[in-house]
């Protein structure tokens, strides 16, 4: 589903420059609606189907790094301070439940912020929402570092979450503005890799920071991170949404953008799959510290090593999925990955009930996490490839759904285990339920055989 009608064109008199936006300038169209890149002989120059196809390799790598860092800002804002919970509880002389509410507030701010930033970026362009909301993140991080009371810290955390929302939404929308087809798969897989690994690595980085600084220093680090992203976006990221696309018929209002997205059956299906997969992963993240440190006797270092090994599963899954999806189609990659999610989570329950111990848990758990890595990029590709004109809106819905549903589902592990404590079975039971919903959504709503193959 190419969106060539909305791609900006390059004037013949333009020549390659070092201008970051040079690749976005107009070029003559062919009879097929594609764009022909200019050269010494325009008549024989290669066809460029999307504006990003003519971006030099080095600048494309720069975009991957910057957009990946922007995407990671959200997960790091949410998870970086998790190891400081006991210190916060002691510092503010309060309960663990109230400290956990600061995390809930951050996720609420993050989800709501995405729902605002996404449609806004489709209406006014990518740069203005990105720069203004990232600036809010810097200010909120500074306020959190200086907060004298838990109430002020909680308020700052909500604003922090909202301020971090722009990164992932706008990054994915920029990728969709520039690329399509198989290259879109590759670029979005890079962002999905960051989205999958960052929540796993953030607590480890937070633990390392706590070893050299007080908990307030974590928020100073987040403020600096946000400031670096703000300056980098100002210097290196051009506006990628042409003015003509901001007022196209049928997508001129927020309501029209939401309606265009929610009227798509395939989008609804992959939205459910993404939310359930992310919830299954968060069920592991929210319960693993209790399971492995209390039930299996891990110390902090062993627990960190486990996290690192599991993060390799996400990396392997995302990188492999990008190649398979480009060749066979993302819907068929998900047909396998969602089935593996069910089997791996079920295997954890079976091995735990058979008393097979630690290895009976961590091996199928690694397979489950790798299957999550296979699923995440396919969800984004199917959702955004179909909605180039409302990419910001579509991505904001994906992000808000992932974190919103995960925030509701992951506490089920603790509720199920409220009497007997968290075990591998209680953790995996929620993971099995999430995976089963994803499988049903794929075959009953998405229906892979009805999804067209990706264009070149």
């Amino acid at each position: 589903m190419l969106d060539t009608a909305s791609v900006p064109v390059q004037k013949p008199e333009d020549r390659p420059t070092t201008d970051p936006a040079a690749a976005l300038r107009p070029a003559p169209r062919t009879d097929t609606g594609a764009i022909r890149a200019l050269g010494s002989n325009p008549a024989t120059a290669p066809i460029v189907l999307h504006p990003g196809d003519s971006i030099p390799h080095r600048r494309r790598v720069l975009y991957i790094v910057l957009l990946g860092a922007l995407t990671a800002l959200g997960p790091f804002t949410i998870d970086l301070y998790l190891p400081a919970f006991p210190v916060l509880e002691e510092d503010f002389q309060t309960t663990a439940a109230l400290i956990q509410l600061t995390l809930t507030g951050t996720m609420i701010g993050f989800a709501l912020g995405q729902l605002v930033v996404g449609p806004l970026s489709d209406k006014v362009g990518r740069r203005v929402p990105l720069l203004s909301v990232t600036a809010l993140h810097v200010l909120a991080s500074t306020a959190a570092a200086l907060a004298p009371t838990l109430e002020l810290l909680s308020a700052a955390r909500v604003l922090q979450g909202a301020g971090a929302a722009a990164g992932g939404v706008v990054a994915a929308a920029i990728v969709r503005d520039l690329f399509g087809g198989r290259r879109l798969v590759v670029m979005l897989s890079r962002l999905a890799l960051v989205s999958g690994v960052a929540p796993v690595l953030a607590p480890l980085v937070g633990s390392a920071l706590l070893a050299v600084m007080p908990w307030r220093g974590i928020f100073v680090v987040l403020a600096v991170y946000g400031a670096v992203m703000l300056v980098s976006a100002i210097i290196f990221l051009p506006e990628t949404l042409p003015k003509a696309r901001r007022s196209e018929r049928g997508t001129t209002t927020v309501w029209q953008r939401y309606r265009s997205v929610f009227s798509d059956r395939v989008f609804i299906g992959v939205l459910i799959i993404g939310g359930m997969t992310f919830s299954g992963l968060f069920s592991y993240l929210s319960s693993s510290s209790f399971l492995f440190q209390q039930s299996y006797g891990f110390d902090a270092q062993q627990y960190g090593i486990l996290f690192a090994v599991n993060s390799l599963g996400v990396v392997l899954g995302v990188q492999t999925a990008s190649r398979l999806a480009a060749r066979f189609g993302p819907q068929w990659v998900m047909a396998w990955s969602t089935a593996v999610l069910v089997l791996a989570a079920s295997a954890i329950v079976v091995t735990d009930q058979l008393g097979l111990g630690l290895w009976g848990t961590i091996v199928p758990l690694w397979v489950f996490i790798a299957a999550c890595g296979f699923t995440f990029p396919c969800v984004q590709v199917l959702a955004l490839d179909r909605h180039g004109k409302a990419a910001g809106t579509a991505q904001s819905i994906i992000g808000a759904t992932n974190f919103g549903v995960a925030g509701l589902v992951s506490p089920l592990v603790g509720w199920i285990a409220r009497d007997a404590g968290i075990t591998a079975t209680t953790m995996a039971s929620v993971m099995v339920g999430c995976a089963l919903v994803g499988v049903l959504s794929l075959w009953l709503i998405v229906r892979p055989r009805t999804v067209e193959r990706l264009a070149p």
Side-chain angles (χ1 to χ4, degrees):
M1 283 66 69
L2 296 179
D3 203 13
T4 53
S6 60
V7 176
V9 286
Q10 217 174 27
K11 294 180 182 178
E13 63 268 25
D14 290 335
R15 290 291 182 264
T17 69
T18 57
D19 180 3
L24 307 180
R25 290 182 186 142
R29 291 181 180 275
T30 66
D31 293 337
T32 63
I35 299 174
R36 189 177 293 281
L38 295 179
S40 57
N41 186 355
T44 60
I47 295 295
V48 177
L49 295 176
H50 307 280
D53 295 344
S54 59
I55 296 177
H57 176 72
R58 290 179 63 182
R59 183 159 295 279
R60 196 178 302 147
V61 171
L62 175 63
Y63 284 171
I64 290 173
V65 172
L66 288 180
L67 296 177
L70 281 168
T71 301
L73 182 60
F76 268 82
T77 297
I78 292 171
D79 295 340
L80 195 65
Y81 83 131
L82 295 183
F85 272 15
V87 182
L88 287 167
E89 183 180 354
E90 182 179 348
D91 238 24
F92 288 112
Q93 293 295 298
T94 186
T95 64
L98 289 177
I99 296 297
Q100 288 176 327
L101 283 178
T102 65
L103 176 62
T104 302
T106 311
M107 295 183 71
I108 290 174
F110 189 71
L112 294 178
Q114 290 186 88
L115 293 177
V116 173
V117 170
L120 186 63
S121 73
D122 287 333
K123 181 65 178 177
V124 304
R126 311 303 185 198
R127 277 176 63 86
V128 172
L130 175 62
L131 299 181
S132 57
V133 177
T134 304
L136 172 64
H137 177 272
V138 175
L139 295 175
S141 298
T142 305
L146 301 174
T149 66
L150 183 60
E151 291 76 16
L152 290 177
L153 175 62
S154 300
R157 288 293 288 165
V158 173
L159 293 177
Q160 251 192 318
V169 172
V170 176
I174 288 175
V175 169
R176 183 58 186 90
D177 290 341
L178 298 178
F179 302 100
R182 293 186 174 92
R183 185 159 282 166
L184 176 66
V185 175
V186 175
M187 296 296 289
L188 285 180
S189 72
R190 304 295 188 265
L191 299 187
L193 174 61
V194 174
S195 299
V197 172
V200 178
L201 293 182
L204 300 180
V205 177
S207 297
L209 291 175
L210 282 176
V212 296
M213 62 180 64
W215 66 265
R216 295 182 185 274
I218 291 178
F219 295 110
V220 174
V221 170
L222 287 172
V224 173
Y225 185 175
V228 171
M229 289 296 94
L230 180 62
V231 173
S232 299
I234 291 173
I235 297 174
F236 296 111
L237 291 181
E239 178 57 65
T240 59
L241 185 67
K243 290 184 178 179
R245 294 235 334 245
R246 304 174 201 175
S247 57
E248 283 184 306
R249 186 176 180 181
T251 58
T252 55
T253 67
V254 172
W255 167 247
Q256 288 174 325
R257 295 179 199 279
Y258 275 118
R259 186 173 60 181
S260 70
V261 170
F262 279 116
S263 62
D264 179 8
R265 167 182 55 82
V266 174
F267 179 86
I268 297 297
V270 297
L271 184 68
I272 295 172
I273 295 170
M276 289 296 100
T277 304
F278 203 75
S279 296
L281 179 63
F282 249 76
S283 297
Y284 150 69
L285 293 175
S286 64
S287 58
S288 60
S289 61
F290 300 101
L291 174 63
F292 290 104
Q293 295 189 68
Q294 295 179 2
S295 299
Y296 292 120
F298 278 34
D299 59 28
Q301 288 71 34
Q302 292 170 328
Y303 181 57
I305 292 173
L306 176 70
F307 255 81
V309 172
N310 285 340
S311 69
L312 294 178
V314 178
V315 174
L316 176 65
V318 169
Q319 295 306 304
T320 307
S322 65
R323 299 176 183 275
L324 295 177
R327 182 174 181 181
F328 300 107
Q331 67 273 28
W332 296 114
V333 175
M334 284 198 297
W336 286 94
S337 66
T338 52
V340 171
L341 287 172
V342 174
L343 293 175
S346 301
I348 297 174
V349 176
V350 172
T351 56
D352 186 51
Q353 292 301 306
L354 292 176
L356 298 185
L358 176 63
W359 288 101
T361 297
I362 62 175
V363 171
L365 177 61
W366 190 91
V367 174
F368 181 92
I369 294 172
C372 290
F374 275 89
T375 306
F376 289 142
C378 297
V379 168
Q380 282 194 306
V381 169
L382 277 182
L384 298 186
D385 187 61
R386 302 172 65 86
H387 295 284
K389 295 180 181 179
T393 301
Q395 180 60 29
S396 70
I397 295 170
I398 293 172
T401 300
N402 284 351
F403 281 92
V405 174
L408 294 174
V409 171
S410 57
L412 288 177
V413 179
W415 181 80
I416 295 173
R418 62 191 181 279
D419 296 323
I422 291 177
T423 65
T425 297
T426 55
M427 177 186 73
S429 297
V430 176
M431 294 160 63
V432 170
C434 292
L436 284 173
V437 173
V439 169
L440 292 174
S441 178
L442 177 69
W443 293 104
L444 298 181
I445 302 178
V446 176
R447 303 201 292 274
R449 291 184 180 84
T450 67
V451 178
E452 299 178 20
R453 290 181 63 90
L454 290 176

